Amino acid sequence: MEGKIGRVTALFLLVTLFSLSCSARESDRAPAASSDSSRATLFTERQSGQNVKQKAIHDALAARENAITRAVQKVAPAVVGVNVTQIQEYVASPFSEDPFFQFFFPGTRYRQEVKSLGSGFLISPDGYIVTNEHVVHNAIKIMVTMVAGKKYPAKLVGADYTTDLALLKIKGKNLPYCVLGNSDNVIVGEWAIALGNPFGLFEISRHPSVTVGVISGTHLNFGKQGGNRVYQDMLQTDASINPGNSGGPMADAVGEIMGVNTFIFTGGQYSEGSIGLGFAIPINRVKRVVADLKKYGKVNRQFWTGLEIDNINYLVARYFGLSSTNGVIVTNVKPNSPAERAGLRVGDIILAINGQTVHGTEDIWDILTNMDAKAGDVLQLKVFRKGKILRIPLRLAPLQQ
């Protein structure tokens, strides 16, 4: 009996020891599980924190974006730097200060290569580029630099000295290009964004410089300048335009091109920087010139009206009851001509064209030259006929061959 009780007691002790051992092992595992859970919680919190931080950064960047930054992102890839090697001529004479000897010894004419730079912008995915004519004038080599820094040799498709516009071409496909807007819809006071290569900074940053202002004025006519360039219907802006910006685009707040940055007023002979008076050729004028440059390599200025005119003398003025001899008289209207279609008649007195007073026949040609008249342009005529003043539009037609 005692032996049986001893065996039971021993068995009880073994079961108890085994239970305690299992409990200890479970107890050892518990901290590990707790540690894994803590690490998972920490990772989740960390990940959540990073997401919050990234969202905050994204929201901050989104808050900084506006119409101007979006327009720049749209236009900038199509802006190029234009590097040019030109030929310049100059005359050297030991008698340059003496008019008498200079007449007999005019000096020697020299030609030398000079480098200059400007801006331009792509207008099609196949590589057509618009810039100013003065940027590529007398060029023997033209290199174009894209935003990514890649350089292309450029071919001069055509240039027009009078309007100061040129069309270049580089080889390429699916190139970024600018969307051309409608300069007739430009509003004074709207944003004006000038992009380009001032002082060659494009070569350093591989990105066009951007200046911002507003449209300060529209339809500014400067007429024929000293170099026989004609700047008509210009856009004025206070966005800074500096040397090297010439030929670059002026964009609006939706990223469409309003004009080509061309020249500035500097305020005096000792100042060369921007003072807030910059001028751009309106893009609608650019479109018409580019169409001719693509087709002919130059601008076709040949047109006809079918009119024959003469000056008015005192007797003619008295006969028609005019108080002065200002104006020109129509002496012939050719059949089936633009003048006949406009309703002009022999004996009509043309007093003004496009609001400019006509004193004689020479004024007619000056007005047409200053407006850079071409086939398709419409002249607004002020006409005296039988004691009445008439307003007659006359559309110029292509010259008949």
Side-chain angles (χ1 to χ4, degrees), residues 105-387:
F105 305 98
T108 305
R109 185 176 297 276
Y110 294 94
R111 291 163 58 90
Q112 67 174 2
E113 291 188 5
V114 295
K115 295 187 183 297
S116 64
L117 53 83
S119 307
F121 57 98
L122 286 145
I123 60 170
S124 66
D126 56 347
Y128 282 99
I129 295 171
V130 168
T131 187
N132 283 133
E133 193 279 338
H134 74 256
V135 171
V136 296
H137 187 68
N138 288 338
I140 59 173
K141 183 180 179 182
I142 305 171
M143 292 294 295
V144 165
T145 305
M146 298 283 288
V147 166
K150 188 172 181 180
K151 295 181 182 294
Y152 294 84
K155 172 188 174 184
L156 181 63
V157 176
D160 184 53
Y161 182 91
T162 302
T163 57
D164 198 8
L165 290 168
L167 184 65
L168 310 179
K169 178 72 167 64
I170 61 175
K171 291 182 179 180
K173 294 180 180 179
N174 301 319
L175 296 169
Y177 63 95
C178 293
V179 176
L180 306 185
N182 181 358
S183 52
D184 290 342
N185 295 334
V186 172
I187 304 170
V188 173
E190 72 170 290
W191 289 116
I193 308 167
L195 299 93
N197 180 27
F199 302 104
L201 294 177
F202 192 103
E203 299 297 316
I204 300 171
S205 66
R206 298 290 187 260
H207 191 281
S209 291
V210 178
T211 54
V212 178
V214 298
I215 294 294
S216 307
T218 60
H219 307 298
L220 298 170
N221 296 324
F222 294 94
K224 184 185 288 186
Q225 299 300 295
N228 289 328
R229 298 191 191 274
V230 176
Y231 294 114
Q232 289 287 102
D233 207 27
M234 300 292 282
L235 303 176
Q236 180 188 341
T237 181
D238 63 349
S240 294
I241 297 174
N242 290 292
N245 268 118
S246 294
M250 178 187 290
D252 61 18
V254 296
E256 294 185 353
I257 307 307
M258 297 187 287
V260 177
N261 303 319
T262 300
F263 69 90
I264 61 174
F265 286 164
T266 60
Q269 61 179 336
Y270 300 109
S271 173
E272 295 182 357
S274 173
I275 60 170
L277 287 172
F279 300 90
I281 301 170
I283 202 63
N284 286 359
R285 184 174 176 84
V286 175
K287 291 175 187 176
R288 293 192 293 270
V289 172
V290 165
D292 271 0
L293 295 181
K294 251 187 182 181
K295 189 173 182 179
Y296 308 111
K298 61 181 181 180
V299 174
N300 183 6
R301 288 186 169 80
Q302 296 181 318
F303 64 85
W304 78 303
T305 63
L307 276 177
E308 291 182 12
I309 57 175
D310 202 354
N311 288 322
I312 297 173
N313 57 32
Y314 172 75
L315 293 176
V316 172
R318 184 175 179 181
Y319 176 81
F320 284 97
L322 297 171
S323 59
S324 73
T325 58
N326 286 340
V328 294
I329 185 169
V330 176
T331 58
N332 187 28
V333 177
K334 294 184 179 180
N336 197 30
S337 67
E340 185 183 60
R341 290 192 289 273
L344 289 166
R345 303 175 187 175
V346 172
D348 283 348
I349 308 293
I350 300 175
L351 300 175
I353 298 177
N354 292 353
Q356 299 184 58
T357 301
V358 174
H359 300 282
T361 55
E362 288 186 1
D363 289 340
I364 299 284
W365 310 123
D366 286 342
I367 291 170
L368 294 178
T369 299
N370 284 335
M371 68 173 287
D372 187 30
K374 297 180 286 295
D377 291 344
V378 177
L379 308 180
Q380 299 295 337
L381 307 183
K382 179 181 177 182
V383 176
F384 178 84
R385 178 190 294 170
K386 295 182 179 179

Side-chain angles (χ1 to χ4, degrees), residues 1-20:
M1 186 67 177
E2 291 179 358
K4 190 174 183 180
I5 293 173
R7 285 195 296 273
V8 171
T9 302
L11 181 60
F12 175 77
L13 289 173
L14 287 172
V15 171
T16 302
L17 289 171
F18 179 76
S19 299
L20 291 172

